[in-house]
Amino acid sequence: MTKQKGNLFILSAPSGAGKSSLYKALLEADSNVRISVSHTTRAPRSGEEHGREYFFVDVDSFLDMIADNAFFEHAQVFDNYYGTSKQAIFDMLDQGLDVILEIDWQGARQVRELYPEAIGVFILPPSLSALEERLTGRGTDSEEVIARRMSKAVSEMSHYEEYEYVIINDDFEHALTQLKAVFAANRTRTSLIQEIHSELINDLLS
Ligand code: GDP
Ligand code: ADP
Ligand code: 5GP
């Protein structure tokens, strides 16, 4: 396996903490970053497009993909399956792009086993009440779904220590600045510079 020239980031948070808003703003600001589009069996929310937020597939197709070993990782979250396909991610990393996986902590564990260089970033809300307000304000989920997501939030957040970075999304612009800094700093990691600038390093040291 050749070393990848881009960094793989795992972005996790309880639903409603703001991870989609943050990564979308990062993608607009940083042309070196891409999001991995997951497959899911959940129904599209209004405004969501097949191939943009997710590839929306039925359960049988999802199970076929598991059998074909097409997933880098997959998990059941709430009542639905979610998974990240292998090929797309490694094509982007090979090109030197940084790739974000927006996945839950179960998926993050699987990714770290396969790819220990992955860099984890956990997004926390400033309070539980703010989290509930955001889920309600987003206007995409029923009261029942919101109640279930809130009851799962604490167990989801209890995994924050498994991540290299934690960003509290209180003031959005401040959180975005921190996220940009994490990406920028990781591009200067020694192992990555050795891979990308091997010729320069050879020249300098010869
Ligand atoms: P093969 O390449 O089809 O024999 O199977 P692999 O399991 O080696 O790779 C599957 C896909 O994952 C390919 O698209 C590889 O390019 C990609 N891949 C590249 N590096 C890694 C890695 O470190 N871990 C994993 N799991 N997959 C990788
Ligand atoms: P997630 O992807 O983690 O489920 P979203 O990005 O959909 O979360 O954010 C949930 C809601 O909270 C959205 O309506 C979003 O506009 C809002 N939101 C995100 N970040 C902030 C913030 N820092 N302050 C206030 N509202 C926010
Ligand atoms: P939502 O339905 O709000 O888009 O996502 C629900 C949960 O599924 C979130 O916690 C999100 O991180 C997780 N998720 C989304 N895509 C994937 C994926 O490909 N793999 C895993 N393991 N979790 C995912």
Side-chain angles (χ1 to χ4, degrees):
M1 183 187 76
T2 58
K3 271 200 197 161
Q4 313 296 330
K5 295 191 175 75
N7 285 317
L8 184 63
F9 289 89
I10 302 168
L11 195 60
S12 301
S15 189
K19 57 189 182 307
S20 310
S21 310
L22 283 168
Y23 85 66
K24 283 177 185 164
L26 180 69
L27 290 179
E28 283 184 17
D30 189 335
S31 61
N32 201 55
V33 181
R34 296 287 184 279
I35 182 84
S36 153
V37 179
S38 301
H39 285 68
T40 183
T41 59
R42 90 156 154 73
R45 297 187 183 125
S46 71
E48 287 183 334
E49 256 178 47
H50 183 79
R52 191 179 64 192
E53 280 79 10
Y54 285 104
F55 295 107
F56 296 97
V57 296
D58 59 30
V59 174
D60 284 345
S61 310
F62 198 98
L63 296 177
D64 284 346
M65 286 182 73
I66 296 178
D68 292 342
N69 198 23
F71 286 118
F72 191 34
E73 64 75 38
H74 60 88
Q76 200 169 356
V77 186
F78 307 109
D79 292 333
N80 302 300
Y81 288 107
Y82 292 87
T84 308
S85 82
K86 283 182 190 171
Q87 194 60 55
I89 295 173
F90 287 99
D91 285 351
M92 292 189 282
L93 292 175
D94 285 343
Q95 290 172 47
L97 296 165
D98 287 345
V99 179
I100 301 175
L101 306 181
E102 187 202 356
I103 59 179
D104 79 316
W105 64 272
Q106 307 170 70
R109 281 195 179 168
Q110 295 176 52
V111 168
R112 276 188 217 101
E113 270 177 33
L114 282 167
Y115 200 83
E117 308 91 313
I119 302 149
V121 182
F122 202 93
I123 311 292
L124 288 174
S127 66
L128 284 174
S129 57
L131 185 67
E132 188 159 16
E133 278 166 28
R134 288 179 192 177
L135 281 170
T136 310
R138 188 165 67 181
T140 53
D141 301 296
S142 67
E143 259 177 49
E144 188 203 334
V145 168
I146 291 173
R148 287 180 53 213
R149 286 178 182 228
M150 281 305 294
S151 72
K152 275 239 177 168
V154 175
S155 64
E156 181 83 31
M157 289 190 287
S158 70
H159 295 278
Y160 79 94
E161 279 181 299
E162 297 164 26
Y163 293 71
E164 277 75 23
Y165 298 95
V166 177
I167 295 177
I168 297 168
N169 180 21
D170 188 356
D171 176 67
F172 186 82
E173 289 305 321
H174 184 61
L176 180 59
T177 300
Q178 291 184 325
L179 189 63
K180 286 179 185 167
V182 166
F183 276 67
N186 276 286
R187 284 190 198 124
T188 69
R189 282 196 301 164
T190 306
S191 57
L192 198 60
I193 296 299
Q194 283 172 329
E195 181 66 22
I196 298 170
H197 294 291
S198 55
E199 271 186 41
L200 168 67
I201 290 180
N202 280 339
D203 284 353
L204 293 173
L205 299 186
S206 63

